[in-house]
Amino acid sequence: MIPALVVFAYLGVVLYIGIFAFRKSRHREEAEDYFLANRSLGPYVFLFSLFGTNMTAFAILGSSGHAFNNGIVTFGLMASSSALIIPLSLFLIGTRVWALGKKYGFITPVQMFRDRWECSHIGTVIFVVQAALLIPYIIIGVMGGGTALGAISGGRVPYWFGGALVAMVVMSYVFFGGMRGTAWVNTFQTILFLCFGAIALIVIGIGMGGFQQSTEGLLGSPGTASLLSRERISPLFFFSYTFIPLSSIAFPHITIFCLTARKMNQFKKTVVLYPVCMLALWMPCVFLGVMANRATDVPKIQEKIEARRALATAGPTLSADERESLRQKTNGDDVLLLLLERYAPLWLAGLLGAGIMAAVMASDSQILALSTMFTEDVFAFYGGKKRFGEAAQVHTGRLFIVLITIFAYAVALRAPQNIFDLAVQYAFSGYSALSPLLVAALFWKRSTKWGALASTVWCALSVAAVAVFQYVVPAPAGPPVAMWSIDGVEVLTRTPGGTAVFGLMPVVPMTIVSALLLIVVSSLTSRPGDHTLKRYFQP
Amino acid sequence: MVIIVGVLYVLHQDFWFWRAAHSLVFGFLPVGLFYHACYTIATAVVMLLIVKHAWPTELEEQVGDEASGRAGEAPGHPLSASPLRPVARNKEDVEH
C-alpha cells in the first residue's frame, strides 16, 4: 500500500500546482489567458511541457511492453524517428504557427485555416474530424489511470475508483489552471518521468544481477536472441513508421501549445533538446522491456512468455477466442510495473509509480485542447462570444471540461480497452494524414478550402475504413494473410498487428493520398483573394 | 541543411544492423540499439546547427517588437486583428 500512498501524495501536489496557477492568473476571465496562458510561457516550461504533452502512458508502459514482445526495434521505430521528425516539424511549422498566432490572435488551428482559406463551415468539418480523433485519447487516459493505480497498489485500489480519482484530479487542475496550470503540471511531470527512467534502469539492473548476464541469457536462447535485433519487424514497416511522428504537429493540443511561447526564441531549446529528452526517457524503458524477458523469477512475466510461446507454436490450431485470450496474456504493458514490484524497495516503487502516473495523466492537454477548440471554433465562431461576452466563453470552456471528463469516465467504465487502443492507434495515422493541411496553409499559396476539405474528408473515411476492416477481418495467428492481390502483388494484407497496404503501414498511403487530393483539388478551384494571401506570404 | 536532414533520414533506415543480434557494445548493449542512441544524439547536433544557421528571424521581425514581450510579459491582445478573424465574423459573411 506504501506505493499507492506515495502516488496519492503526488496527485495532491499536482492538484495544488493547478490551483496555484489559478491564483497566479491576473486575467481569469480572458480567453487568451485561460486557453493560452497569455502566450507567456518561458523556455524551460515550454520545452518540458511540450515534451510531456507528447508523451502519453505509451511512452513508459507501452514502449516497454512493445519492446518486451518485439525487441530493441521499438526504439528505432518510435523514439529515434520522432527525435528527428518532431523537432523538425516544430522548427518548420511550429514557429510559423506561433508567428501567425501572435500577429493575428489565433487560438486554434481551425481559426487559422478559416482565415487563411476564407472559409467557415469547412473549418467546422476540420474541427469535427480533429475532435473525433482526439476523444479516444481522453478515454484511454482515464482507463490508464484506473489500471495503473490498481497495479501500483497491488490490486487494492479498484479500477472504478482509480479511474475516477485520476479523472477528478486532471479535471480539477485543467478547470482551474487552464493552459498555465496544465503547462506547469506537465513540466513537473516531465521532470519526474525523465528521472524515472534512469533510476528504474539502475535499480532493476542491480536487482537482476547486472545486464551483461541477462543479455547473454537472451542470446543463448533461439527464441529470445531475435529480440536483440530487428528481425521481428520488416524494413518496409520500419520505414513506414517514420510517417507517424508527422501526427505530432497536427494534433490540435500541440498546434495550440505552439501558440503559448512568449518569444519565438523559446522554440530553440525545444528543437535542440527534444531528441535528448527522447533518449533519456525511451532508452531505459525499451532496454528494460527487452530485459524483462530474463526476469524468470517474476511469475506474471513468466506467464506472458509462456503465452507467447503457445501462440507461436500452436496458434493456427487454436480457435479465434483462444488466440485472443493468449494474445491478451502476452500484453507486456505492465512489465515495468512488475519489474519494479520485484526489484525496487517499496518507497522507491512508490516514487517510480508516481513517475508512471505522470505519463498516464498526459490527457490533460487533450481535454484543454478540446475545450479550447469547442469554445473558439464553435461557441465563439457561431456568435456565442458576441452575444454573451468573453467571460461566458471561459465559463463555457470550463463547463465543457467537466462534461467531457464525465463522458470519458462513463465510457471508460463500460467499454473494453482494446477498442480504444485501436482508435488511438489510428488517431495517429489520421493526424499524420491531416499534416498536409498545415504545410499547405503555411507554405503553398495556391492551396484552397476545397482542397483542405477533400483532404479532411479523405482522412476521416480512410481511418474509418481501416478500423472497420480490422474489426471485420480477425487478426491471423500466423503469418500475414493477403486479402487482395493483383498479379501476385499483395495490395491489402491483414497482419497479426494490423493492416498493410503494399507491405506498408496504412499511414503511408493515407498521408500521400491526402497530400495529392489537396494538390489536385486546390489546382482545380479558385484560390483565396490577394488581400488574404498578402497577409500570409510576404513578397 | 536540407541535404544534412535528408542524409539523417536515410541513416535512420540502418538495414545493415538488421540481424546483428550478437554484436554487443560494452558487453551488454545490442549494436542496433547503440546505433540508434548515437543517431538520436546526432539528431540533436543537427538541430543545433539548424537553429544556429537557419533560424527564421524574418518571422520574428514580421511579428514586431511588441510581440517579444513587455517587461517580461506577452501582450494580452493580438497586435493587428485580422479583418477576417473568424471570431469577429457575422452570420451573413459565411459561405453556403
Side-chain angles (χ1 to χ4, degrees):
Chain A
M1 200 63 191
I2 292 172
L5 292 176
V6 176
V7 171
F8 287 143
Y10 160 78
L11 292 176
V13 172
V14 159
L15 197 57
Y16 177 73
I17 293 172
I19 292 165
F20 183 69
F22 174 71
R23 286 192 193 149
K24 285 286 280 185
S25 171
R26 278 174 289 171
H27 309 278
R28 285 174 200 166
E29 306 297 307
E30 287 178 14
E32 198 153 278
D33 186 77
Y34 183 72
F35 295 122
L36 291 185
N38 221 7
R39 303 181 200 264
S40 64
L41 296 187
Y44 287 103
V45 173
F46 187 72
L47 161 68
F48 287 130
S49 187
L50 193 137
F51 182 73
T53 302
N54 256 333
M55 296 297 113
T56 59
F58 190 84
I60 289 184
L61 300 179
S63 62
S64 50
H66 190 273
F68 174 72
N69 283 317
N70 296 285
I72 61 162
V73 71
T74 307
F75 189 82
L77 203 63
M78 300 169 190
S80 59
S81 58
S82 297
L84 173 66
I85 308 288
I86 294 178
L88 212 54
S89 58
L90 287 170
F91 167 72
L92 290 170
I93 297 171
T95 50
R96 278 161 180 82
V97 168
W98 174 87
L100 289 168
K102 201 89 168 171
K103 206 170 170 184
Y104 300 128
F106 300 132
I107 292 181
T108 70
V110 167
Q111 281 182 338
M112 186 182 76
F113 293 145
R114 277 175 170 152
D115 187 45
R116 164 70 181 84
W117 287 315
E118 298 174 354
C119 62
S120 58
H121 298 318
I122 288 175
T124 310
V125 173
I126 299 173
F127 159 79
V128 170
V129 173
Q130 285 185 333
L133 291 171
L134 207 56
I135 286 172
Y137 241 110
I138 295 167
I139 295 169
I140 215 98
V142 177
M143 288 174 165
T147 310
L149 211 49
I152 290 164
S153 66
R156 288 185 187 89
V157 175
Y159 173 79
W160 68 267
F161 181 73
L165 186 67
V166 170
M168 278 294 291
V169 170
V170 171
M171 185 189 78
S172 302
Y173 71 73
V174 176
F175 182 93
F176 287 112
M179 177 59 89
R180 188 174 287 102
T182 306
W184 287 0
V185 168
N186 270 327
T187 301
F188 171 65
Q189 289 176 327
T190 303
I191 292 169
L192 202 68
F193 65 64
L194 282 175
C195 296
F196 161 85
I199 298 171
L201 192 70
I202 295 165
V203 170
I204 295 170
I206 293 168
M208 290 180 81
F211 291 125
Q212 194 162 358
Q213 194 187 333
S214 303
T215 312
E216 281 165 7
L218 289 173
L219 282 174
S221 160
T224 53
S226 61
L227 292 168
L228 302 180
S229 71
R230 274 169 290 168
E231 54 193 83
R232 293 188 180 210
I233 300 278
S234 80
L236 267 183
F237 184 90
F238 189 80
F239 160 73
S240 41
Y241 220 100
T242 57
F243 278 63
I244 292 287
L246 289 173
S247 60
S248 172
I249 195 74
F251 271 111
H253 56 280
I254 301 295
T255 322
I256 291 171
F257 198 81
C258 287
L259 300 166
T260 61
R262 189 189 303 155
K263 299 177 185 176
M264 203 174 86
N265 269 349
Q266 272 137 22
F267 280 83
K268 285 183 177 174
K269 282 197 173 67
T270 306
V271 168
V272 175
L273 294 175
Y274 198 95
V276 180
C277 292
M278 287 298 288
L279 184 67
L281 179 64
W282 281 70
M283 181 56 89
C285 293
V286 169
F287 189 67
L288 288 174
V290 177
M291 289 302 126
N293 285 279
R294 287 298 295 169
T296 45
D297 52 347
V298 183
K300 283 184 182 167
I301 291 182
Q302 206 48 39
E303 281 171 23
K304 292 174 194 294
I305 295 168
E306 277 160 22
R308 191 200 298 156
R309 205 173 289 141
L311 202 59
T313 51
T317 61
L318 300 171
S319 70
D321 287 344
E322 287 170 328
R323 278 205 304 268
E324 188 50 40
S325 162
L326 279 176
R327 198 167 281 134
Q328 280 181 10
K329 279 183 190 164
T330 63
N331 187 318
D333 286 1
D334 57 349
V335 290
L336 211 50
L337 289 166
L338 294 170
L339 288 175
L340 286 175
E341 199 178 284
R342 170 69 184 82
Y343 298 115
L346 275 178
W347 63 271
L348 188 59
L351 279 180
L352 298 176
I356 290 173
M357 287 305 293
V360 168
M361 288 163 66
S363 59
D364 49 6
S365 308
Q366 288 100 337
I367 292 175
L368 183 65
L370 207 55
S371 160
T372 310
M373 288 154 65
F374 176 76
T375 52
E376 287 291 329
D377 300 337
V378 178
F379 179 81
F381 183 75
Y382 288 105
K385 184 179 175 182
K386 210 173 174 183
R387 206 173 303 152
F388 304 107
E390 193 163 350
Q393 185 189 357
V394 175
H395 294 322
T396 307
R398 287 199 165 111
L399 178 68
F400 190 84
I401 287 164
V402 175
L403 293 177
I404 194 74
T405 307
I406 293 170
F407 170 76
Y409 179 65
V411 176
L413 281 185
R414 285 172 175 79
Q417 181 157 354
N418 56 355
I419 288 178
F420 291 99
D421 283 339
L422 200 70
V424 168
Q425 187 188 343
Y426 286 101
F428 278 99
S429 303
Y431 277 112
S432 294
L434 282 174
S435 62
L437 256 67
L438 275 170
V439 176
L442 298 171
F443 296 99
W444 191 36
K445 271 186 184 180
R446 190 65 190 77
S447 60
T448 70
K449 61 184 177 185
W450 299 112
L453 179 66
S455 177
T456 307
V457 171
W458 159 257
C459 289
L461 292 178
S462 56
V463 168
V466 176
V468 169
F469 173 72
Q470 288 198 187
Y471 184 73
V472 172
V473 183
V481 178
M483 304 303 295
W484 179 29
S485 301
I486 300 174
D487 291 334
V489 178
E490 292 178 0
V491 179
L492 185 64
T493 312
R494 182 70 166 102
T495 66
T499 307
V501 182
F502 292 108
L504 299 159
M505 285 173 71
V507 66
V508 179
M510 279 166 72
T511 309
I512 292 172
V513 173
S514 168
L516 286 176
L517 275 171
L518 208 152
I519 293 168
V520 171
V521 177
S522 291
S523 304
L524 297 173
T525 49
S526 55
R527 64 181 194 171
D530 286 342
H531 175 75
T532 299
L533 291 178
K534 265 184 201 161
R535 291 191 301 110
Y536 282 84
F537 301 95
Q538 302 295 320
Chain B
M1 280 301 164
V2 174
I3 294 169
I4 293 175
V5 171
V7 168
L8 206 56
Y9 183 79
V10 173
L11 286 174
H12 183 260
Q13 314 298 311
D14 61 321
F15 53 85
W16 47 91
F17 286 136
W18 211 262
R19 293 179 181 276
H22 288 266
S23 305
L24 299 175
V25 181
F26 309 126
F28 70 92
L29 199 57
V31 70
L33 194 56
F34 178 72
Y35 174 87
H36 275 275
C38 296
Y39 175 89
T40 310
I41 294 166
T43 305
V45 173
V46 170
M47 292 304 147
L48 184 67
L49 291 175
I50 287 176
V51 161
K52 278 204 182 304
H53 301 292
W55 192 249
T57 42
E58 72 280 3
L59 289 176
E60 273 173 319
E61 285 159 14
Q62 281 170 28
V63 170
D65 295 336
E66 201 181 338
S68 60
R70 292 177 304 212
E73 191 179 345
H77 300 286
L79 293 174
S80 55
S82 159
L84 286 173
R85 192 179 171 194
V87 288
R89 279 195 168 191
N90 296 322
K91 257 287 198 216
E92 55 270 26
D93 290 335
V94 300
E95 68 200 14
H96 306 305

